[in-house]
Amino acid sequence: MNWYRDISTPEKRTLWSCFAGWALDGVDTQLFSLVIPTLLVTWGIGKGQAGLIGGATLVAGALGGLLAGMLSDRYGRVRALQITVVWFSLFTFLSAFAQNFEQLLVLKSLQGVGFGGEWTAGAVLLSETIRAEHRGKAMGIVQSAWGFGWAGAVLLYTLVFSFVSPDWAWRLLFGIGVIPAGLVLYLRRNVVEPPRAVMPGASTRQALPTVRSIFDRSVIRTTIMGALIGVGAHGGYHAITTWLPTYLKTERHLSVLGTGGYLAVVITAFICGCFVSAWLQDRIGRRLNVILFAVCCVATVNLYVFLPMGDTAMLFLSFPLGFFAAGIPATLGTLFNELYPQGIRGTGVGFCYNFGRIVSAGFPVLVGHMGNSMPLGSALGIDAGIAYGLVVVAALMLPETKDRPIAMVAANAATRA
């Protein structure tokens, strides 16, 4: 942790503010997956309706990420982060008062807008605050906050459902979701807006970006390759998380998937994967780090699919899968931010990350269709190979950005334009 002692107090405040925001975001988001069984019984809704709420939240999160990126370019990184934190806290809280499926669908979708926006705004703020040699470590640590938030959601769920009847427990959990709004008070007092660079002779109005700006010929290659990485990274992750449990339950007949031990291993693996990726990307570079974790993801998935295993082996082997799956998203925030000039950085990062989120919905569907004509395990292995192969090819088409000063990106982009 020598690097942590090396960074300044403003850098540390920004790091832990973004960490707290993403962890609290993780708590609010993961609570829904935990209360689904209760909603199925309490409201008598079907699994398809519960899945629709989850899907709508993800799509809304992707749109929110793009919107937050544009807002951060126009009105500042700190202000955009404040808006997104208040937004997802408010609509998580209001979800506690939903009276039917339709109301919850709308409220959770609106919550998703803030959920997606918080990552984008926080990632851009952190990238412009932390010095280049430590940026990867800081970004990876913040990404690990999702695992801590996930664990916090499990603990809250266990505690509340132990003392409150299920009919009211899920409402209390959503009501607690208003707590992250208090983070805004800290942001207002302690986190400083990064300085904005304005090109000589350009007015503030001229410097304001539009969505079209990330498709300018000076950055269009970056946008296309970054979007493809986002598609592959999210596509592989969602295909695995959607179909691997089904495959292991129905074709391998494993029972460990529903245990607390399995969940603890997966969460721990996610956090460890983020930490290792954080350290590694500042050592070997962003591009090589992404490629390494993508290749390891493909290898691990195929080991799951083709190796015979029992419950005990499954419990232990779930660690490398969660570990490698975490390494790619832990790198994307650093990589995407270092590819764009400051004036359009939020818009570019928001697009690359969240375009991938939307398109990735097709990968679980692809596995399902392929599974009709071949073993589900084979379909999953092929799909993972396609998704993470896309990540590798796109990463090879991008420059290495390790140790690149943020200001240099703006200067280079301006020169090319």
Side-chain angles (χ1 to χ4, degrees), residues 146-169:
W146 183 264
F148 288 101
W150 189 356
V154 173
L155 293 175
L156 275 175
Y157 170 83
T158 303
L159 180 63
V160 171
F161 271 76
S162 296
F163 295 99
V164 182
S165 67
D167 289 347
W168 288 99

Side-chain angles (χ1 to χ4, degrees), residues 58-77 79-81 83-84 87-88 91 109-122 124 209-211 214 343-355 357-358:
L58 287 175
V59 173
L63 297 176
L66 177 58
L67 178 61
M70 297 169 61
L71 288 175
S72 71
D73 283 337
R74 288 182 176 267
Y75 303 113
R77 317 314 191 191
R79 184 175 298 180
L81 184 59
I83 292 172
T84 58
W87 185 279
F88 80 71
F91 285 104
S109 297
L110 290 171
Q111 180 219 31
V113 173
F115 150 68
E118 195 278 338
W119 184 91
T120 302
V124 178
T210 64
V211 177
I214 62 173
I344 59 171
R345 181 168 294 128
T347 306
V349 172
F351 178 83
C352 291
Y353 192 84
N354 292 289
F355 175 80
R357 263 179 164 171
I358 295 175

Side-chain angles (χ1 to χ4, degrees), residues 221 224-230 286-292 294 328 331-332 335-336 339 388-401:
R221 179 189 177 93
I224 293 174
M225 293 301 116
L228 290 177
I229 289 178
R286 322 319 190 192
R287 191 173 63 163
L288 183 56
N289 194 59
V290 167
I291 293 172
L292 174 64
I328 298 175
T331 313
L332 295 187
L335 175 64
F336 290 160
L339 288 171
Y388 290 117
L390 188 63
V391 172
V392 172
V393 172
L396 289 171
M397 301 294 288
L398 289 172
E400 176 54 57
T401 62

Side-chain angles (χ1 to χ4, degrees), residues 228-244:
L228 290 177
I229 289 178
V231 169
H234 287 104
Y237 177 81
H238 288 305
I240 292 170
T241 55
T242 300
W243 286 108
L244 188 60

Side-chain angles (χ1 to χ4, degrees), residues 30 89 107 111 116 129 168 192 206 210 269 271 305 308 353 364 378 386:
Q30 291 296 333
S89 300
L107 290 170
Q111 180 219 31
T129 303
W168 288 99
V192 180
Q206 290 172 323
T210 64
I271 294 172
V305 170
Y353 192 84
S378 299
I386 294 173

